[in-house]
Amino acid sequence: MAEHDPSSGGENDPVQGALPLAGASELGGGREVPFPVALLAFSSVSGVGYRALHSLVGAYGNDLGRLLGVAPEVAVGHLRARKAPKALVEAVSGLPPGLVERAHEHLGQLGRKNVHVLGPGELPARLLRLPGGPRWLFVQGDPAALVQGPHVAVVGTRDASPAGIDAAAAVVRTMAAYPVTVVSGLANGIDAAAHARAVEFGLRNVAFLGHGINIVFPAETAQLRERMLEYGGAVATEYLPDERYRRQQFVQRNRLQAGLGELVIAVEGQASSGTAHTVRFAAQYGTPVVGLSWRGAGDLPRLVADTSGGRVLEIFTPAARRELDTMVRSLAERHGHATDALTLVQRQLTREAACRDLRQDDLLQLQEKIQQLLNERR
């Protein structure tokens, strides 16, 4: 498949709108070919590159399979009527025999890896709203992780400092009191640290990849990826299953993190880094951004501060942690979740009680401490 730039979108993009929206009924009858099968079938056809595939899905949506369910001359006539590019018409007119059958086999192989193919009708609403957003996703794990919020993106550099790793841990621990889903990119450094801490605290993860779903990159994240899936998370990508990684693709997957996240937390990086792209995408989409600062942090906080709606927190201070707690708790409550800021304390108390020789005096002292906290809050 041809190299592509999935960030392309908007009024000046020749892909978007290259084919007028098609009415499925105009193709008449024919066998039903499910969208995932049709997508895999067309993606394997010589001459159908990303732009053609993107345009086809834009025009036919979930009914893409109708083009494969009718006689070739009918499909060709339909495309010509919409002034489709000549190369695309020729590709469809010469579809090889057994194409759909092989696509069914391919889909079965993906299914055995717990990979789902989401069409336009199944994509999360927050991604559908994006200019130049995805028109399909390959999702390994539970697709519900992409729609059950709130989602908080935690992003940062691959070349993380020890302080940056600690900052990512502090962020995730603060969020862990609430039922949020951590969104990141499963790269080394800050991404991996955020995902790993989320698993430790029982939070769900969503990771967007800059390559195909069949590829594990970097190799060091293989075990972490498996644990994320075991804990009900998902790994998602708009790239075809075996597509290799390219630098630009990692930049473009950042728009999906910024788009799905209802809050973006930029942990560490430089104003010229890939993380900065995520910050700019978030600003474009109207997603609130938080940058973290500490002694020795890079210049990313300055970029966040200059971003509309951006907020910089000195993450290693109690005041900053409380402010972040307020933000995340508010998100959870807007999604209808009951919240309890001391969830982690209760979990730890239960674990301690199970392995301690508790006495009545211990519990009375705990009761006194709780009463003291109540008095301080009055």
Side-chain angles (χ1 to χ4, degrees):
M1 187 164 172
E3 181 176 348
H4 62 272
D5 176 3
S7 68
S8 298
E11 296 177 353
N12 298 321
D13 177 20
V15 172
Q16 300 234 22
L19 292 180
L21 187 64
S25 60
E26 299 174 27
L27 281 167
R31 59 176 173 166
E32 291 290 336
V33 178
F35 176 86
V37 175
L39 181 71
L40 292 170
F42 277 116
S43 71
S44 67
V45 174
S46 176
V48 180
Y50 174 78
R51 286 188 172 272
L53 190 59
H54 196 269
S55 184
L56 279 173
V57 176
Y60 293 92
N62 289 322
D63 294 314
L64 178 66
R66 295 288 187 113
L67 283 173
L68 296 172
V70 297
E73 58 271 18
V74 175
V76 167
H78 204 252
L79 289 171
R80 281 177 175 162
R82 275 149 188 77
K83 298 181 179 179
K86 181 179 179 181
L88 178 58
V89 173
E90 291 177 348
V92 172
S93 66
L95 295 178
L99 180 71
V100 173
E101 289 71 20
R102 288 192 295 275
H104 269 289
E105 293 175 3
H106 192 181
L107 185 63
Q109 294 169 2
L110 293 173
R112 288 188 285 277
K113 297 180 180 180
N114 195 23
V115 174
H116 312 263
V117 183
L118 306 187
E122 301 169 294
L123 295 177
R126 288 189 62 82
L127 295 184
L128 283 174
R129 71 187 175 97
L130 304 183
R135 287 183 169 165
W136 61 80
L137 283 176
F138 292 86
V139 179
Q140 186 175 29
D142 187 358
L146 278 78
V147 295
Q148 295 174 354
H151 296 89
V152 179
V154 183
V155 298
T157 178
R158 291 173 173 79
D159 300 319
S161 66
I165 296 296
D166 289 344
V171 165
V172 176
R173 192 183 190 287
T174 302
M175 297 194 300
Y178 311 110
V180 303
T181 297
V182 173
V183 179
S184 199
L186 201 55
N188 284 330
I190 297 300
D191 289 13
H195 285 310
R197 292 293 282 175
V199 169
E200 291 174 14
F201 284 113
L203 295 179
R204 191 158 55 179
N205 282 282
V206 169
F208 285 108
L209 306 179
H211 49 76
I213 202 74
N214 286 338
I215 296 171
V216 177
F217 177 82
E220 300 91 325
T221 62
Q223 186 176 6
L224 175 57
R225 176 170 170 170
E226 291 177 2
R227 292 181 65 201
M228 289 164 54
L229 297 177
E230 289 172 3
Y231 279 78
V235 177
T237 178
E238 61 191 316
Y239 299 100
L240 293 174
D242 296 311
E243 189 161 358
R244 306 297 297 182
Y245 47 85
R246 301 184 183 91
R247 181 175 181 178
Q248 183 63 15
Q249 292 174 182
F250 285 101
V251 173
Q252 299 312 325
R253 68 90 192 269
N254 290 348
R255 81 196 197 287
L256 303 184
Q257 296 172 166
L260 187 64
E262 296 162 69
L263 173 67
V264 171
I265 302 176
V267 175
E268 182 180 20
Q270 299 297 325
S272 58
S273 66
T275 305
H277 289 287
T278 308
V279 171
R280 294 187 181 99
F281 280 127
Q284 178 184 349
Y285 305 150
T287 305
V289 182
V290 169
L292 306 184
S293 68
W294 62 87
R295 185 180 298 274
D299 60 359
L300 189 62
R302 186 168 66 249
L303 173 65
V304 173
D306 292 339
T307 299
S308 176
R311 181 82 175 89
V312 177
L313 301 179
E314 296 182 11
I315 190 60
F316 297 123
T317 66
R321 296 280 292 276
R322 284 196 299 272
E323 186 171 347
L324 179 60
D325 180 271
T326 299
M327 294 178 188
V328 177
R329 186 171 194 170
S330 177
L331 278 177
E333 290 174 344
R334 288 208 297 268
H335 278 261
H337 298 297
T339 61
D340 182 347
L342 297 179
T343 298
L344 298 186
V345 176
Q346 294 176 32
R347 292 179 193 167
Q348 184 65 27
L349 179 60
T350 300
R351 287 192 292 267
E352 290 289 322
C355 60
R356 299 288 182 182
D357 177 22
L358 284 181
R359 300 173 181 175
Q360 186 174 8
D361 285 350
D362 299 327
L363 296 175
L364 288 174
Q365 291 180 45
L366 176 62
Q367 185 178 27
E368 289 177 4
K369 181 61 177 177
I370 293 174
Q371 187 60 53
Q372 179 183 344
L373 290 172
L374 286 172
N375 292 338
E376 291 174 357
R377 290 295 184 273
R378 289 174 180 169

